[in-house]
Coordinates of all heavy atoms in Angstrom, one line a residue:
M7 N 241.1 81.3 219.6 CA 241.4 80.9 218.2 C 240.2 81.3 217.3 O 239.1 81.2 217.7 CB 241.5 79.4 218.1 CG 242.6 78.8 219.1 SD 244.2 79.2 218.7 CE 244.7 77.9 217.7
K8 N 240.6 81.9 216.2 CA 239.6 82.3 215.2 C 240.1 81.8 213.8 O 241.2 82.1 213.4 CB 239.4 83.8 215.2 CG 238.4 84.3 214.2 CD 238.0 85.7 214.5 CE 237.1 86.2 213.4 NZ 235.8 85.6 213.4
S9 N 239.2 81.1 213.1 CA 239.5 80.7 211.7 C 239.0 81.7 210.8 O 237.8 82.1 210.9 CB 238.9 79.3 211.5 OG 239.5 78.4 212.3
I10 N 239.8 82.1 209.8 CA 239.4 83.0 208.7 C 239.8 82.5 207.4 O 241.0 81.9 207.3 CB 240.0 84.4 209.0 CG1 239.5 85.1 210.2 CG2 239.8 85.3 207.8 CD1 240.1 86.4 210.5
T11 N 239.0 82.5 206.4 CA 239.4 82.1 205.1 C 239.7 83.3 204.2 O 238.9 84.2 204.1 CB 238.2 81.3 204.4 OG1 238.0 80.2 205.2 CG2 238.7 80.8 203.0
V12 N 240.9 83.4 203.7 CA 241.4 84.5 202.9 C 241.9 83.9 201.6 O 242.8 83.1 201.6 CB 242.5 85.3 203.5 CG1 243.0 86.4 202.6 CG2 242.0 85.9 204.9
D13 N 241.2 84.3 200.4 CA 241.6 83.7 199.1 C 241.7 82.2 199.1 O 242.7 81.6 198.7 CB 243.0 84.3 198.7 CG 242.9 85.8 198.5 OD1 241.8 86.4 198.2 OD2 244.0 86.5 198.7
S14 N 240.7 81.6 199.6 CA 240.5 80.1 199.7 C 241.6 79.4 200.6 O 241.7 78.2 200.6 CB 240.5 79.5 198.3 OG 241.7 79.5 197.7
T15 N 242.3 80.2 201.4 CA 243.2 79.6 202.4 C 242.7 79.9 203.8 O 242.4 81.0 204.1 CB 244.6 80.3 202.2 OG1 245.1 80.1 200.9 CG2 245.6 79.7 203.3
T16 N 242.6 78.8 204.6 CA 242.2 79.0 206.0 C 243.3 79.4 206.9 O 244.4 78.7 206.8 CB 241.5 77.7 206.5 OG1 240.4 77.4 205.7 CG2 241.1 77.8 207.9
I17 N 243.1 80.4 207.6 CA 244.2 80.9 208.5 C 243.6 80.9 209.9 O 242.4 81.3 210.1 CB 244.6 82.4 208.1 CG1 245.2 82.4 206.7 CG2 245.5 83.0 209.2 CD1 245.4 83.8 206.2
I18 N 244.3 80.4 210.8 CA 243.9 80.3 212.2 C 244.6 81.4 213.0 O 245.9 81.3 213.1 CB 244.1 78.9 212.8 CG1 243.3 77.9 212.0 CG2 243.7 78.9 214.3 CD1 243.5 76.5 212.4
L19 N 243.9 82.3 213.6 CA 244.5 83.3 214.4 C 244.4 82.9 215.9 O 243.4 82.4 216.3 CB 243.7 84.6 214.3 CG 243.7 85.2 212.9 CD1 242.8 86.5 212.9 CD2 245.0 85.6 212.3
Q20 N 245.5 83.0 216.6 CA 245.5 82.8 218.0 C 245.5 84.1 218.7 O 246.4 84.9 218.6 CB 246.8 82.0 218.4 CG 246.8 81.7 219.9 CD 248.1 80.9 220.3 OE1 249.1 81.0 219.6 NE2 248.0 80.3 221.4
L21 N 244.4 84.4 219.4 CA 244.2 85.8 220.0 C 244.3 85.7 221.5 O 243.7 84.8 222.1 CB 242.8 86.3 219.6 CG 242.5 86.4 218.1 CD1 241.1 86.7 217.8 CD2 243.4 87.4 217.4
W22 N 245.0 86.6 222.1 CA 245.1 86.6 223.5 C 244.5 87.9 224.0 O 244.8 89.0 223.5 CB 246.6 86.7 223.9 CG 247.4 85.5 223.7 CD1 247.1 84.4 223.0 CD2 248.8 85.3 224.1 NE1 248.1 83.5 222.9 CE2 249.2 84.0 223.6 CE3 249.6 86.0 224.9 CZ2 250.4 83.5 223.9 CZ3 250.9 85.5 225.1 CH2 251.3 84.3 224.6
D23 N 243.7 87.8 225.0 CA 243.1 89.0 225.6 C 243.9 89.3 226.9 O 243.7 88.5 227.8 CB 241.6 88.8 225.9 CG 240.9 90.1 226.5 OD1 241.7 91.0 226.8 OD2 239.7 90.1 226.6
T24 N 244.7 90.3 226.9 CA 245.5 90.5 228.1 C 244.9 91.4 229.1 O 245.5 91.7 230.1 CB 246.8 91.2 227.6 OG1 246.5 92.5 227.0 CG2 247.6 90.3 226.7
A25 N 243.7 91.8 228.9 CA 242.9 92.6 229.8 C 243.6 93.8 230.4 O 243.7 94.0 231.6 CB 242.4 91.7 231.0
G26 N 244.2 94.6 229.5 CA 244.8 95.9 229.9 C 246.1 95.7 230.6 O 247.1 95.4 230.0
Q27 N 246.1 96.0 231.9 CA 247.3 96.1 232.7 C 248.1 94.8 232.7 O 249.3 94.8 232.9 CB 247.0 96.5 234.1 CG 246.5 97.9 234.1 CD 246.3 98.4 235.5 OE1 246.5 97.8 236.5 NE2 245.7 99.6 235.6
E28 N 247.5 93.6 232.5 CA 248.2 92.4 232.5 C 249.2 92.4 231.3 O 250.2 91.6 231.4 CB 247.2 91.2 232.3 CG 246.4 91.0 233.5 CD 245.4 89.9 233.3 OE1 245.7 89.0 232.5 OE2 244.3 89.9 233.9
F29 N 249.0 93.2 230.3 CA 249.9 93.3 229.2 C 251.3 93.5 229.6 O 252.3 92.9 229.1 CB 249.5 94.4 228.2 CG 250.3 94.5 227.0 CD1 250.1 93.7 225.9 CD2 251.4 95.4 227.0 CE1 250.9 93.8 224.8 CE2 252.2 95.5 225.9 CZ 252.0 94.7 224.8
R30 N 251.5 94.3 230.6 CA 252.9 94.7 231.1 C 253.6 93.5 231.6 O 254.8 93.5 231.6 CB 252.8 95.8 232.1 CG 252.2 97.0 231.5 CD 252.5 98.2 232.4 NE 251.8 99.4 231.9 CZ 252.2 100.2 230.9 NH1 253.2 99.9 230.2 NH2 251.4 101.2 230.5
S31 N 252.9 92.4 232.0 CA 253.6 91.3 232.5 C 254.0 90.3 231.4 O 254.7 89.3 231.7 CB 252.7 90.5 233.6 OG 251.5 90.0 232.9
I32 N 253.5 90.6 230.2 CA 253.9 89.7 229.1 C 255.2 90.2 228.5 O 255.3 91.4 228.1 CB 252.8 89.7 228.0 CG1 251.5 89.2 228.5 CG2 253.3 89.0 226.7 CD1 250.4 89.2 227.5
T33 N 256.2 89.4 228.6 CA 257.5 89.8 228.2 C 257.7 89.7 226.7 O 256.9 89.0 226.0 CB 258.6 89.0 228.9 OG1 258.5 87.7 228.5 CG2 258.6 89.2 230.4
E34 N 258.7 90.3 226.1 CA 259.0 90.2 224.7 C 259.1 88.8 224.2 O 258.8 88.5 223.1 CB 260.3 91.0 224.4 CG 260.6 91.1 222.9 CD 261.8 91.9 222.6 OE1 262.2 92.7 223.4 OE2 262.4 91.6 221.5
Q35 N 259.6 87.9 225.0 CA 259.7 86.5 224.6 C 258.4 85.9 224.1 O 258.4 85.0 223.3 CB 260.3 85.6 225.6 CG 259.4 85.4 226.8 CD 260.1 84.5 227.9 OE1 261.2 83.9 227.6 NE2 259.5 84.5 229.1
Y36 N 257.3 86.4 224.6 CA 256.0 85.9 224.2 C 255.5 86.5 222.9 O 254.8 85.8 222.2 CB 254.9 86.1 225.3 CG 255.2 85.2 226.5 CD1 255.7 85.8 227.7 CD2 254.9 83.9 226.5 CE1 255.9 85.0 228.8 CE2 255.1 83.1 227.6 CZ 255.6 83.6 228.8 OH 255.8 82.9 229.8
Y37 N 255.8 87.7 222.6 CA 255.2 88.3 221.5 C 256.2 88.7 220.4 O 255.8 89.1 219.3 CB 254.4 89.6 221.8 CG 255.2 90.7 222.4 CD1 255.9 91.6 221.6 CD2 255.1 91.0 223.8 CE1 256.6 92.6 222.2 CE2 255.7 92.1 224.3 CZ 256.5 92.9 223.5 OH 257.2 93.9 224.1
R38 N 257.5 88.4 220.5 CA 258.5 88.7 219.5 C 258.3 88.0 218.2 O 258.7 88.4 217.2 CB 259.9 88.6 220.0 CG 260.4 87.2 220.1 CD 261.8 87.1 220.6 NE 261.8 86.1 221.6 CZ 262.8 85.4 222.0 NH1 264.0 85.8 221.6 NH2 262.7 84.5 222.9
K39 N 257.7 86.8 218.2 CA 257.5 86.0 217.0 C 256.1 86.2 216.5 O 255.7 85.6 215.5 CB 257.7 84.5 217.3 CG 259.2 84.2 217.6 CD 259.4 82.7 217.7 CE 260.8 82.4 218.0 NZ 261.1 81.0 218.1
A40 N 255.3 87.1 217.1 CA 253.9 87.4 216.6 C 254.0 88.0 215.3 O 254.8 88.8 215.0 CB 253.2 88.3 217.6
D41 N 253.0 87.6 214.4 CA 252.8 88.3 213.1 C 252.0 89.6 213.2 O 252.0 90.4 212.3 CB 252.2 87.3 212.2 CG 253.0 86.1 211.8 OD1 254.3 86.3 211.6 OD2 252.5 85.0 211.8
G42 N 251.3 89.7 214.3 CA 250.5 90.9 214.5 C 250.1 91.1 216.0 O 250.0 90.1 216.7
I43 N 250.0 92.3 216.4 CA 249.5 92.6 217.7 C 248.4 93.7 217.7 O 248.6 94.7 216.9 CB 250.7 93.2 218.6 CG1 251.8 92.1 218.7 CG2 250.2 93.7 219.9 CD1 253.1 92.6 219.4
L44 N 247.4 93.5 218.4 CA 246.3 94.4 218.5 C 246.3 95.1 219.8 O 246.3 94.5 220.8 CB 244.9 93.7 218.4 CG 244.7 92.8 217.1 CD1 243.3 92.1 217.2 CD2 244.7 93.7 215.9
A45 N 246.4 96.4 219.8 CA 246.4 97.2 221.0 C 245.1 98.0 221.0 O 244.9 98.8 220.1 CB 247.6 98.2 221.1
M46 N 244.2 97.7 221.9 CA 242.9 98.3 221.9 C 242.7 99.3 223.1 O 243.4 99.1 224.1 CB 241.9 97.3 221.9 CG 241.9 96.4 220.7 SD 240.6 95.2 220.8 CE 241.0 94.2 219.3
Y47 N 241.8 100.2 222.9 CA 241.6 101.2 224.0 C 240.1 101.6 223.9 O 239.4 101.4 222.9 CB 242.5 102.4 224.0 CG 242.3 103.2 222.7 CD1 241.5 104.3 222.6 CD2 243.1 102.9 221.6 CE1 241.4 105.0 221.5 CE2 243.0 103.6 220.4 CZ 242.1 104.7 220.4 OH 242.0 105.4 219.2
D48 N 239.6 102.1 225.0 CA 238.2 102.6 225.2 C 238.2 104.1 224.9 O 238.8 104.8 225.6 CB 237.7 102.2 226.6 CG 236.3 102.6 226.8 OD1 235.7 103.4 226.0 OD2 235.8 102.2 227.9
V49 N 237.5 104.5 223.8 CA 237.5 105.9 223.5 C 236.7 106.7 224.5 O 236.8 107.9 224.5 CB 236.9 106.2 222.1 CG1 237.7 105.5 221.0 CG2 235.4 105.7 222.0
T50 N 235.9 106.1 225.4 CA 235.2 106.8 226.4 C 236.0 106.9 227.7 O 235.5 107.5 228.7 CB 233.8 106.1 226.7 OG1 234.0 104.8 227.2 CG2 233.0 106.0 225.4
H51 N 237.2 106.4 227.7 CA 238.0 106.4 228.9 C 239.4 106.8 228.6 O 240.2 106.1 228.0 CB 238.0 104.9 229.5 CG 238.7 104.8 230.8 ND1 238.4 105.6 231.9 CD2 239.6 103.9 231.3 CE1 239.1 105.2 232.9 NE2 239.9 104.2 232.6
S52 N 239.7 108.1 228.9 CA 241.0 108.7 228.5 C 242.2 107.9 229.0 O 243.2 107.9 228.3 CB 241.0 110.2 228.9 OG 241.0 110.3 230.3
A53 N 242.1 107.4 230.2 CA 243.3 106.6 230.7 C 243.6 105.4 229.9 O 244.7 105.0 229.7 CB 243.0 106.2 232.2
S54 N 242.6 104.8 229.3 CA 242.7 103.7 228.4 C 243.5 104.1 227.2 O 244.5 103.4 226.8 CB 241.4 103.1 228.0 OG 241.5 102.1 227.0
F55 N 243.2 105.2 226.6 CA 243.9 105.7 225.4 C 245.4 106.1 225.8 O 246.3 105.7 225.0 CB 243.2 107.0 224.9 CG 243.9 107.6 223.7 CD1 243.9 107.0 222.5 CD2 244.7 108.8 223.9 CE1 244.6 107.5 221.4 CE2 245.3 109.3 222.8 CZ 245.3 108.7 221.5
T56 N 245.6 106.7 226.9 CA 246.9 107.1 227.3 C 247.8 105.8 227.5 O 249.0 105.8 227.2 CB 246.9 107.9 228.6 OG1 246.1 109.0 228.4 CG2 248.3 108.3 229.1
A57 N 247.2 104.8 228.1 CA 248.0 103.5 228.3 C 248.5 102.9 227.1 O 249.5 102.2 227.0 CB 247.1 102.6 229.1
V58 N 247.7 103.0 226.0 CA 248.1 102.4 224.7 C 249.5 102.9 224.2 O 250.2 102.2 223.7 CB 247.0 102.6 223.6 CG1 247.5 102.3 222.2 CG2 245.8 101.8 223.9
R59 N 249.8 104.2 224.5 CA 251.1 104.7 224.1 C 252.2 103.9 224.7 O 253.2 103.6 224.0 CB 251.2 106.2 224.5 CG 250.3 107.0 223.7 CD 250.5 108.5 224.0 NE 249.7 109.3 223.2 CZ 249.7 110.6 223.1 NH1 250.5 111.2 223.9 NH2 248.9 111.3 222.3
G60 N 252.1 103.5 226.0 CA 253.2 102.7 226.6 C 253.3 101.4 225.9 O 254.4 100.9 225.8
W61 N 252.2 100.8 225.6 CA 252.2 99.5 225.0 C 252.8 99.5 223.6 O 253.6 98.7 223.2 CB 250.8 98.9 224.9 CG 250.1 98.7 226.2 CD1 250.7 98.5 227.4 CD2 248.7 98.7 226.4 NE1 249.7 98.4 228.4 CE2 248.5 98.5 227.8 CE3 247.6 98.8 225.6 CZ2 247.2 98.5 228.3 CZ3 246.4 98.8 226.1 CH2 246.2 98.6 227.5
M62 N 252.5 100.6 222.9 CA 253.1 100.7 221.5 C 254.6 100.9 221.6 O 255.3 100.5 220.7 CB 252.4 101.9 220.8 CG 250.9 101.7 220.5 SD 250.6 100.2 219.5 CE 251.3 100.6 218.0
D63 N 255.1 101.6 222.6 CA 256.5 101.8 222.7 C 257.2 100.5 222.9 O 258.3 100.2 222.3 CB 256.8 102.7 223.9 CG 256.5 104.1 223.7 OD1 256.3 104.5 222.5 OD2 256.4 104.9 224.6
S64 N 256.6 99.5 223.6 CA 257.2 98.2 223.8 C 257.2 97.3 222.6 O 257.9 96.3 222.5 CB 256.7 97.6 225.0 OG 255.3 97.2 224.8
I65 N 256.3 97.6 221.6 CA 256.2 96.7 220.5 C 256.5 97.5 219.2 O 256.1 97.2 218.1 CB 254.8 96.1 220.4 CG1 253.7 97.1 220.4 CG2 254.6 95.0 221.5 CD1 252.3 96.5 220.1
R66 N 257.2 98.5 219.3 CA 257.5 99.5 218.2 C 258.0 98.9 217.0 O 257.8 99.4 215.9 CB 258.5 100.6 218.7 CG 258.6 101.7 217.8 CD 259.4 102.8 218.4 NE 258.5 103.4 219.4 CZ 258.3 104.6 219.6 NH1 259.0 105.5 219.0 NH2 257.5 105.1 220.6
Q67 N 258.7 97.8 217.0 CA 259.3 97.2 215.8 C 258.2 96.7 214.8 O 258.6 96.5 213.7 CB 260.3 96.0 216.1 CG 259.6 94.8 216.6 CD 259.4 94.7 218.1 OE1 259.5 95.7 218.8 NE2 259.0 93.6 218.6
H68 N 257.0 96.5 215.2 CA 255.9 96.1 214.3 C 255.3 97.3 213.6 O 255.2 98.4 214.2 CB 254.8 95.4 215.1 CG 255.2 94.1 215.6 ND1 255.2 93.0 215.0 CD2 255.6 93.8 216.9 CE1 255.6 92.0 215.7 NE2 255.9 92.5 216.9
Q69 N 255.0 97.2 212.3 CA 254.4 98.3 211.5 C 253.0 98.5 212.1 O 252.2 97.5 212.4 CB 254.3 97.9 210.1 CG 253.6 98.9 209.2 CD 253.5 98.5 207.8 OE1 253.9 97.4 207.4 NE2 253.0 99.3 206.9
A70 N 252.6 99.7 212.4 CA 251.3 100.0 213.0 C 250.3 100.5 212.0 O 250.6 101.4 211.2 CB 251.5 100.9 214.2
L71 N 249.1 100.0 212.1 CA 247.9 100.5 211.4 C 246.9 100.9 212.4 O 246.8 100.3 213.5 CB 247.4 99.5 210.4 CG 248.3 99.0 209.3 CD1 247.7 97.9 208.5 CD2 248.6 100.2 208.4
F72 N 246.0 101.8 212.0 CA 244.9 102.2 212.9 C 243.6 101.7 212.3 O 243.3 102.0 211.2 CB 244.9 103.7 213.1 CG 243.8 104.2 214.0 CD1 243.9 104.1 215.4 CD2 242.6 104.6 213.5 CE1 242.9 104.5 216.2 CE2 241.6 105.1 214.3 CZ 241.7 105.0 215.6
Y73 N 242.8 101.0 213.1 CA 241.4 100.7 212.7 C 240.5 101.2 213.8 O 240.7 100.9 215.0 CB 241.2 99.1 212.6 CG 241.6 98.5 211.3 CD1 242.9 98.2 211.0 CD2 240.7 98.2 210.4 CE1 243.3 97.7 209.8 CE2 241.0 97.7 209.2 CZ 242.3 97.4 208.9 OH 242.7 96.8 207.7
E74 N 239.5 101.9 213.5 CA 238.5 102.3 214.5 C 237.4 101.2 214.4 O 236.8 100.9 213.4 CB 237.8 103.6 214.1 CG 236.8 104.1 215.2 CD 236.3 105.5 214.9 OE1 237.0 106.2 214.2 OE2 235.3 105.8 215.5
C75 N 237.3 100.5 215.6 CA 236.4 99.3 215.7 C 235.5 99.5 216.9 O 235.8 100.3 217.8 CB 237.2 98.0 215.8 SG 238.3 97.7 214.4
S76 N 234.5 98.6 217.0 CA 233.7 98.6 218.2 C 233.3 97.2 218.6 O 232.8 96.5 217.8 CB 232.4 99.4 217.9 OG 231.5 99.2 218.9
A77 N 233.7 96.9 219.8 CA 233.4 95.6 220.3 C 231.9 95.6 220.6 O 231.2 94.5 220.6 CB 234.2 95.3 221.6
R78 N 231.3 96.7 220.9 CA 229.9 96.8 221.3 C 229.0 96.5 220.1 O 228.1 95.7 220.2 CB 229.6 98.2 221.8 CG 228.2 98.4 222.2 CD 228.0 99.8 222.8 NE 226.7 99.9 223.4 CZ 226.3 101.0 224.0 NH1 227.1 102.0 224.1 NH2 225.1 101.0 224.5
N79 N 229.3 97.0 218.9 CA 228.4 96.8 217.8 C 229.1 96.0 216.6 O 228.5 95.8 215.6 CB 227.7 98.1 217.3 CG 228.7 99.1 216.7 OD1 229.8 98.7 216.3 ND2 228.3 100.3 216.6
G80 N 230.3 95.7 216.8 CA 231.0 94.9 215.7 C 231.6 95.7 214.6 O 232.1 95.1 213.6
L81 N 231.5 97.0 214.7 CA 232.0 97.9 213.6 C 233.5 97.6 213.2 O 234.3 97.6 214.1 CB 231.9 99.4 214.0 CG 232.4 100.4 213.0 CD1 231.6 100.4 211.7 CD2 232.5 101.7 213.6
N82 N 233.7 97.2 212.0 CA 235.1 97.0 211.5 C 235.9 95.8 212.1 O 237.0 95.7 211.8 CB 235.9 98.3 211.5 CG 235.5 99.3 210.5 OD1 234.9 98.9 209.5 ND2 235.7 100.5 210.8
V83 N 235.3 95.1 213.0 CA 236.0 94.0 213.6 C 236.4 92.9 212.6 O 237.5 92.4 212.5 CB 235.2 93.3 214.8 CG1 235.9 92.1 215.3 CG2 235.0 94.4 215.9
E84 N 235.4 92.5 211.7 CA 235.7 91.5 210.7 C 236.8 92.0 209.7 O 237.7 91.3 209.3 CB 234.5 91.2 209.9 CG 234.5 89.9 209.1 CD 234.7 88.7 210.0 OE1 234.2 88.6 211.2 OE2 235.4 87.7 209.6
E85 N 236.7 93.3 209.3 CA 237.8 93.9 208.4 C 239.1 93.8 209.1 O 240.1 93.5 208.4 CB 237.4 95.3 208.1 CG 236.2 95.5 207.2 CD 234.8 95.4 207.9 OE1 234.8 95.2 209.2 OE2 233.8 95.6 207.3
L86 N 239.2 94.2 210.4 CA 240.5 94.1 211.1 C 241.0 92.7 211.1 O 242.2 92.5 210.9 CB 240.3 94.6 212.5 CG 241.5 94.4 213.5 CD1 242.7 95.2 213.0 CD2 241.1 94.8 214.9
M87 N 240.2 91.7 211.4 CA 240.7 90.3 211.5 C 241.1 89.9 210.1 O 242.2 89.2 210.0 CB 239.6 89.4 212.0 CG 239.2 89.6 213.5 SD 240.7 89.3 214.5 CE 240.2 90.3 215.9
N88 N 240.4 90.2 209.1 CA 240.9 89.9 207.7 C 242.2 90.5 207.4 O 243.1 89.9 206.8 CB 239.8 90.2 206.7 CG 238.6 89.3 206.7 OD1 238.7 88.1 207.0 ND2 237.5 89.8 206.3
H89 N 242.4 91.8 207.7 CA 243.7 92.4 207.4 C 244.8 91.7 208.2 O 245.9 91.5 207.7 CB 243.6 93.9 207.8 CG 244.9 94.6 207.4 ND1 245.0 95.2 206.2 CD2 246.0 94.8 208.1 CE1 246.2 95.7 206.1 NE2 246.8 95.5 207.3
L90 N 244.5 91.4 209.5 CA 245.5 90.8 210.3 C 245.9 89.4 209.7 O 247.1 89.0 209.6 CB 245.0 90.6 211.7 CG 246.0 89.9 212.7 CD1 247.3 90.8 212.9 CD2 245.3 89.8 214.1
A91 N 244.9 88.7 209.2 CA 245.2 87.4 208.6 C 246.0 87.5 207.3 O 246.8 86.7 207.0 CB 243.8 86.7 208.3

């Protein structure tokens, strides 16, 4: 859970870390009511990038945006969370 304040309104995001391959076991019933989905990959691991394509196919009905972020140094993570909120 992450709380974010946007325009003086507090929004609570419920974030799930599916740890890559576990994502495939999550059926549409779990994410069809989601307001947003983050599909992340490791730019230093090509298989990670390739796997994202399959995930995007299964959630295609959501409008997709691209954010280049870094979990390592926090680059654009806050901006991404604010946009999602």
